[in-house]
Amino acid sequence: MTFLDKFVLPQSAEHIELLHYMLLLVLFLFIPFISLIFGGTLFSIFYKRKYEKGGDRNYEILAKEFINTSTINKSIGIILGIVPLIAIILIYAQLLDQSGDSALSYLMVSFLFLLPAIILIYTYRYSFNFSQIFEPVHQSPNESAQEDFLQLKSSAIKLASKTGRNGIVFLFFSIWFFVAGLNEASNVDTIKLSFIGGLFSFPVIIKLLLFIFFSLAFAGSTLLFSFFYWEGGNKKYSNEIKNFVKEQTSKITLWSAISLPLLILFTLINIPAELLSGSIFGFSIISLVLIFISYHSLYSLNKGTAISAGGVVFYSLLFALLSLTIKDQLIMSNATKTHSLILASQYEKYLADLKGETGIVAVSGQDIFNTRCSACHKFDVKLVGPPYKETLPKYEGKLAQLISFIKNPVKVNAAYPPMPNPGLKPNEVEAVAKYILETYKK
């Protein structure tokens, strides 16, 4: 994504840490909203079709409440959908600058799918609501008016069906590419798959399934929250309709959430050992506990023993989702730690250039090795990278080739992560290459 380079600025270590916090806050807005709109739209389409097949108006009411609750209003789609994803892309452009990582490509494709998805889903919402206006009106004694109203209603229903179906397809692919982008950013130093291969990798498929089932459970919990808890519950419907909504929604929420613990465990299993930490396990456990609390609350709500349980289900799943978001960002932070150090060192060089200090500092290959290379390489010990005694024999008498590799490193050994670009100036590359070869010969 070279066109994003113009938005990238040199970042100090403090700025990089701040970017990670900003990214987390933006994800707190984006992920719950996209989960809600995906699950709510899918349930709305499902119950709308059940109404059209059987004619039970309870299903039509449920379909309407799902889409109205999940989309909230048209400005929210921009504020919590479009704008946060743009911010996420810009932050990742900063954090992954010069890494060659394909996470930005996935996120850009996700954005291209999200734009039409939001437009289509909101069109579905308003055309669906518009079609219901004609229900009491088309019964007019005027036959000509009846025919006109029926035609308008039929057009609105067709538009709702078409836009709803297409919108959910676009949103599915947007989520798929988004999940692939986040997964790729958490695997900066691993062997890279092809662009399409990354989409079908096991970790991405598991995370996609986790996102989808969490979306369904969260959408169901949100409707329960708004129907039975928010501002004392919904008062415009009869107790019969409320009982129908409670029975249907609590059932689909439970069945959607039942697989979440297993999927969370699968995501943990696929995390590389070097990226694991106590905090990652801690937030995973928190999310699991909150999910089990939601199970208990759904049972209480279904039995009618505690109407306020609708609020507990919603908050439990919301905070479980946020806990998993924090866990994923901790993994990403661990994965990009080395790259962040490189970006921070480049910032120091940039700052020194601005101050005019670089001209008075002698270029020392040993100093460059100690500050830039020694964290990953030793001459006879395996660290992040292979020991020099294994790699330098092929460069004896080939200083130019070694210089070329340091300038533009590529992955050579599958047993080690790819070497990041150290961002050295030409004279610095030459100095450190000479030092490495001379020290190796000794």
Side-chain angles (χ1 to χ4, degrees):
M1 289 295 164
T2 54
F3 75 93
L4 288 174
D5 291 346
K6 65 180 71 175
F7 300 105
V8 176
L9 298 172
Q11 300 292 330
S12 67
E14 292 78 12
H15 293 151
I16 291 172
E17 185 176 1
L18 180 60
L19 283 172
H20 279 288
Y21 285 118
M22 290 175 59
L23 177 61
L24 191 60
L25 291 175
V26 176
L27 289 171
F28 277 178
L29 297 175
F30 180 73
I31 290 179
F33 174 72
I34 291 301
S35 299
L36 175 60
I37 200 171
F38 179 81
T41 305
L42 200 59
F43 280 138
S44 178
I45 293 171
F46 172 75
Y47 283 113
K48 178 175 175 292
R49 287 184 177 178
K50 292 197 73 170
Y51 161 69
E52 291 170 351
K53 289 180 180 180
D56 188 341
R57 286 191 54 82
N58 286 335
Y59 288 125
E60 184 185 33
I61 292 171
L62 194 52
K64 176 185 175 182
E65 288 300 320
F66 261 118
I67 191 61
N68 288 346
T69 301
S70 61
T71 53
I72 308 174
N73 60 58
K74 57 186 178 182
S75 60
I76 293 296
I78 298 174
I79 296 171
L80 296 182
I82 304 299
V83 174
L85 186 53
I86 294 174
I88 290 167
I89 292 171
L90 293 176
I91 294 173
Y92 270 104
Q94 291 281 166
L95 294 175
L96 302 177
D97 182 34
Q98 303 177 37
S99 69
D101 195 79
S102 56
L104 281 175
S105 299
Y106 287 120
L107 293 176
M108 285 299 298
V109 176
S110 173
F111 178 76
L112 294 177
F113 276 109
L114 182 65
L115 277 175
I118 293 294
I119 294 171
L120 289 167
I121 286 172
Y122 276 87
T123 303
Y124 164 72
R125 168 189 169 152
Y126 291 112
S127 57
F128 181 31
N129 288 326
F130 186 64
S131 68
Q132 292 185 308
I133 295 174
F134 299 107
E135 191 63 35
V137 180
H138 82 269
Q139 300 175 6
S140 167
N142 187 315
E143 292 184 5
S144 177
Q146 276 192 33
E147 184 177 349
D148 290 340
F149 282 126
L150 286 172
Q151 287 180 352
L152 285 171
K153 180 180 179 181
S154 177
S155 298
I157 291 173
K158 289 179 181 178
L159 179 63
S161 299
K162 186 176 181 180
T163 54
R165 182 177 61 253
N166 293 339
I168 204 68
V169 169
F170 274 98
L171 188 56
F172 170 78
F173 281 106
S174 176
I175 291 171
W176 193 356
F177 279 97
F178 178 76
V179 169
L182 296 193
N183 182 75
E184 189 71 12
S186 299
N187 295 279
V188 171
D189 292 334
T190 59
I191 300 174
K192 300 300 179 183
L193 300 173
S194 65
F195 188 79
I196 299 300
L199 288 173
F200 291 95
S201 65
F202 183 74
V204 170
I205 296 300
I206 290 297
K207 290 178 182 178
L208 177 62
L209 290 174
L210 177 60
F211 199 109
I212 289 172
F213 282 105
F214 225 124
S215 298
L216 298 176
F218 186 57
S221 71
T222 304
L223 185 60
L224 290 172
F225 174 77
S226 64
F227 225 85
F228 298 104
Y229 186 80
W230 181 253
E231 294 183 346
N234 194 305
K235 297 180 175 63
K236 68 179 180 180
Y237 293 116
S238 65
N239 287 333
E240 180 184 354
I241 293 176
K242 287 182 178 181
N243 289 331
F244 176 82
V245 170
K246 182 178 71 171
E247 178 185 352
Q248 289 291 321
T249 309
S250 59
K251 181 171 64 177
I252 61 176
T253 302
L254 179 60
W255 280 110
S256 300
I258 205 75
S259 63
L260 295 181
L262 183 62
L263 291 171
I264 291 171
L265 291 176
F266 271 126
T267 61
L268 281 173
I269 291 171
N270 281 280
I271 300 173
E274 61 271 18
L275 301 182
L276 290 172
S277 66
S279 298
I280 291 171
F281 283 110
F283 281 106
S284 299
I285 292 171
I286 289 172
S287 66
L288 290 171
V289 170
L290 289 169
I291 289 169
F292 282 110
I293 290 174
S294 72
Y295 293 161
H296 175 75
S297 300
L298 281 169
Y299 177 80
S300 299
L301 180 64
N302 198 41
K303 293 298 182 182
T305 56
I307 296 300
S308 62
V312 177
V313 175
F314 171 76
Y315 286 118
S316 296
L317 290 178
L318 174 61
F319 285 110
L321 186 58
L322 298 183
S323 296
L324 291 177
T325 303
I326 295 172
K327 180 209 73 173
D328 289 339
Q329 288 310 296
L330 287 172
I331 297 170
M332 186 262 190
S333 180
N334 292 340
T336 57
K337 190 171 294 184
T338 301
H339 184 68
S340 297
L341 290 174
I342 293 172
L343 293 178
S345 66
Q346 290 178 351
Y347 173 81
E348 296 298 330
K349 285 180 56 185
Y350 173 77
L351 199 60
D353 287 340
L354 289 179
K355 293 178 180 179
E357 296 175 353
T358 52
I360 60 173
V361 178
V363 176
S364 167
Q366 183 176 1
D367 289 343
I368 295 171
F369 172 80
N370 290 334
T371 57
R372 299 294 188 87
C373 310
S374 61
C376 298
H377 291 286
K378 297 293 182 185
F379 283 89
D380 55 358
V381 178
K382 174 184 174 182
L383 292 179
V384 178
Y388 282 143
K389 69 178 182 180
E390 295 180 6
T391 59
L392 288 182
K394 63 182 178 182
Y395 290 111
E396 288 192 66
K398 300 177 181 179
L399 177 62
Q401 291 185 18
L402 180 58
I403 290 174
S404 176
F405 179 82
I406 296 174
K407 285 182 178 178
N408 298 289
V410 295
K411 189 172 182 64
V412 177
N413 192 332
Y416 297 94
M419 174 179 163
N421 193 314
L424 300 174
K425 293 180 179 179
N427 60 332
E428 294 174 329
V429 175
E430 184 177 356
V432 74
K434 287 181 179 179
Y435 170 77
I436 291 171
L437 282 175
E438 291 171 358
T439 306
Y440 165 73
K441 291 175 182 179
K442 295 177 183 179

